[in-house]
Amino acid sequence: MDQPSEQGTVFGAHIPFVTYCGIEALDVQEGRTRLRLALRPEHANNLGIAHGGVICTLLDVALGTAARLKAGRPVVTLDMQTRFLAPGRDVLLAEGRVTRAGRSVIFCEAEIRDAAGELVASATGLLKPVGESARR
C-alpha cells in the first residue's frame, strides 16, 4: 500500500521533527514501513558522514511507524539498541517492522541501507502504545 505523505506527516501521524530532518515516508508493504532521507550538509559529523544522531532518529521513526500502524494508536519508544555498521552518505533508506506485538509492548526491528544497498545501521526497539486507539 503506497501512502505518500504531506510534509511532516508520516503514515498519518504529524511529527514536526520529521519535517525538520527531511525524512520522507515512502510506503507500507506487508507491515513494513519504508522511509527515505537525502542527507544534507547539516546532517554531517566532523568526518563528513551522517551524524549518529540523524541515524538514530531515522531508525526511531522506522521503529515507531511500524509499531504505530500495528497498534492503531500512538506509541513511545521505551528502549532502542543501535548498531552502526558503515558510514552513511548521500541517500539513506530505512525499513521498520514489528517482530512481536503484545497489548502493552511491541518489539520492532529497523535497518538503514545506503543507495547501493549496503547496511549502514540497524536497531531493535521496545515500544509502548499510548493514548486512544483508532480502532473501535
Side-chain angles (χ1 to χ4, degrees):
M1 145 173 76
D2 288 338
Q3 290 193 355
S5 63
E6 64 183 68
Q7 191 171 18
T9 300
V10 184
F11 307 118
H14 182 68
I15 307 170
F17 193 59
V18 165
T19 301
Y20 180 78
C21 292
I23 297 170
E24 303 170 63
L26 296 178
D27 58 31
V28 179
Q29 294 180 357
E30 299 175 11
R32 297 169 185 250
T33 58
R34 293 185 343 109
L35 307 155
R36 178 182 183 275
L37 175 60
L39 293 171
R40 303 183 306 239
E42 60 268 25
H43 291 134
N45 64 15
N46 62 322
L47 299 173
I49 59 175
H51 189 281
V54 77
I55 297 288
C56 284
T57 296
L58 184 56
L59 288 166
D60 186 51
V61 173
L63 294 168
T65 54
R68 184 174 46 78
L69 290 174
K70 180 72 171 177
R73 59 184 168 149
V75 296
V76 295
T77 303
L78 298 176
D79 183 61
M80 185 171 97
Q81 300 293 314
T82 306
R83 289 156 299 285
F84 299 96
L85 303 163
R89 294 186 173 93
D90 302 319
V91 175
L92 301 178
L93 300 168
E95 182 177 283
R97 61 197 162 279
V98 172
T99 56
R100 183 169 172 84
R103 288 189 312 174
S104 60
V105 293
I106 300 172
F107 296 86
C108 296
E109 296 176 338
E111 65 181 33
I112 297 173
R113 294 185 179 274
D114 63 18
E118 183 176 1
L119 187 60
V120 171
S122 64
T124 56
L126 179 62
L127 296 96
K128 179 176 182 57
V130 297
E132 294 293 318
S133 175
R135 297 181 219 165
R136 302 244 179 211

